[in-house]
Amino acid sequence: MTKIKLATVWLGGCSGCHMSFLDLDEWLIDLAAQVDIVYSPIADIKEYPENVDLVLVEGAIANEEHLELIYKIRERTKTIVSFGDCAVTGNVTALRNLAGGAEPALQLAYIQAANIHQQIPNSPGIVPPLLNKVVPVHKVVTVDIYLPGCPPSADRIRAAIAPLLKGEKPEIIGREMIKFG
């Protein structure tokens, strides 16, 4: 049996979707028998590989590093799942857009709201430059499946992944599968 190459990615978000993924509990053992995890914040893999079958992308596109990675993901992956409300809509991560751009948001957070050490972080190669606007994944690349939720429940994640493991498209319908929040 050829295992499916599975990746999970954490962009601009809180990692709650990955925590929900870990809530799959015992089903993770069944999943491990069917997939090879080829990239994930849960594993120490530095470079996004070629020929990935399925990726769960958590978080919105918020900085240049995210932008570079999402293009690489689309180029190297058969099926992209927009994983959670931040990836699907921008959600909480996109609240930064209300400040009117990256620079006003940085000024607000690190200068105006700071009590001490008023300084905007700027370390080339360490702190990736922010994009002027936070956007959901589908605004940058084509998404194959949307899995909303903040975070999606383990049951919802399983209902989406299980059919994909069999080469089938999941049915993301009904309140329990499409409810946001």
Side-chain angles (χ1 to χ4, degrees), residues 60-62 89-102 104-105 131-136:
I61 314 291
T89 67
N91 202 28
V92 173
T93 309
L95 287 173
R96 185 185 87 200
N97 296 342
L98 297 174
L131 297 177
N132 206 37
K133 186 173 183 184
V134 176
V135 294

Side-chain angles (χ1 to χ4, degrees), residues 18-107:
H18 276 83
M19 295 296 101
S20 248
F21 181 81
L22 294 175
D23 286 342
L24 288 165
D25 299 329
E26 293 84 13
W27 194 71
L28 286 171
I29 296 167
D30 296 335
L31 181 63
Q34 300 175 66
V35 303
D36 283 325
I37 296 185
V38 295
Y39 187 88
S40 178
I42 300 168
D44 188 27
I45 302 165
K46 303 297 184 213
E47 179 66 24
Y48 193 85
E50 301 275 348
N51 304 313
V52 175
D53 296 304
L54 173 62
V55 64
L56 304 176
V57 178
E58 172 183 354
I61 314 291
N63 64 43
E64 289 181 11
E65 193 175 273
H66 298 157
L67 194 60
E68 181 181 320
L69 181 57
I70 201 64
Y71 283 126
K72 190 179 289 184
I73 289 167
R74 181 69 277 177
E75 178 184 308
R76 297 179 179 183
T77 307
K78 181 179 171 185
T79 303
I80 293 180
V81 177
S82 205
F83 182 38
D85 288 351
C86 288
V88 173
T89 67
N91 202 28
V92 173
T93 309
L95 287 173
R96 185 185 87 200
N97 296 342
L98 297 174
E103 188 58 35
L106 290 168
Q107 286 289 328

Side-chain angles (χ1 to χ4, degrees), residues 5-23:
K5 292 180 182 178
L6 173 68
T8 70
V9 175
W10 176 19
L11 302 177
C14 71
S15 85
C17 296
H18 276 83
M19 295 296 101
S20 248
F21 181 81
L22 294 175
D23 286 342

Side-chain angles (χ1 to χ4, degrees), residues 138-169:
H138 71 274
K139 292 289 186 180
V140 178
V141 297
T142 302
V143 167
D144 302 295
I145 296 167
Y146 295 87
L147 187 61
C150 186
S153 69
D155 289 340
R156 189 184 297 187
I157 296 167
R158 182 175 176 175
I161 293 176
L164 290 167
L165 298 176
K166 299 177 198 169
E168 301 167 3
K169 190 168 182 174

